[in-house]
Amino acid sequence: MNSIDLIILNLIEVRRRSIKVWTSIPADKLNWKPDSKAMTCLEMIRHVLESEHYYHLAIENRGSLSAFDSPFENQPYTTVKAELDFAEPYRKQFLDTINSFSEKDLKNIKIDRSDSGYIRDLGDMLLRIAYHESVHTGQLLDYLRTAGVPRIRIWD
């Protein structure tokens, strides 16, 4: 297994566990949030999926986008399944893009997001994308605990 394969495996495993959490959220809790300034459960799921699409475009652009016309923006918030179905083609494109890179690309390609305070190697950026999703999945587990909802076991 090479580094590209490991990055893909990590992204797939993170998403698999996220989906376990996301699909365990009762429908009546999808619009729940712990306080008035927080995202709802469904908004956080959308944020993860939309951010992955943005990061994919930033990787292709080798840096931040001057404008981002999100295909998610005009989608109504309905169900977790609707979010996943809508995001599926973007996810596939993202994974295909990663598979197109070489081992050398992971170190040699730089992603310039100076406007956000960093320039990262491609490999570093890809790992941080998975980490971003993991953090939000952990937040959702905390949301569920706070809302008194039983939490699914994600450690299999």
Side-chain angles (χ1 to χ4, degrees), residues 99-147:
N99 272 315
S100 74
F101 292 122
S102 71
E103 293 274 321
K104 289 181 181 178
D105 289 338
L106 296 175
K107 183 69 179 158
N108 294 333
I109 292 176
K110 306 296 182 207
I111 310 301
D112 186 344
R113 298 205 62 221
S114 298
D115 59 309
S116 294
Y118 62 86
I119 300 171
R120 303 216 194 287
D121 295 347
L122 173 62
D124 183 357
M125 184 76 183
L126 291 169
L127 291 174
R128 288 170 191 263
I129 291 168
Y131 179 70
H132 174 258
E133 181 168 333
S134 298
V135 166
H136 285 303
T137 298
Q139 279 185 295
L140 281 172
L141 286 168
D142 185 56
Y143 272 31
L144 295 173
R145 177 188 295 270
T146 303

Side-chain angles (χ1 to χ4, degrees), residues 7-27:
I7 288 169
I8 294 285
L9 176 63
N10 187 47
L11 286 162
I12 289 170
E13 277 299 296
V14 167
R15 179 59 52 86
R16 182 180 68 80
R17 291 164 195 250
S18 293
I19 289 171
K20 285 179 83 166
V21 172
W22 299 346
T23 58
S24 76
I25 300 169

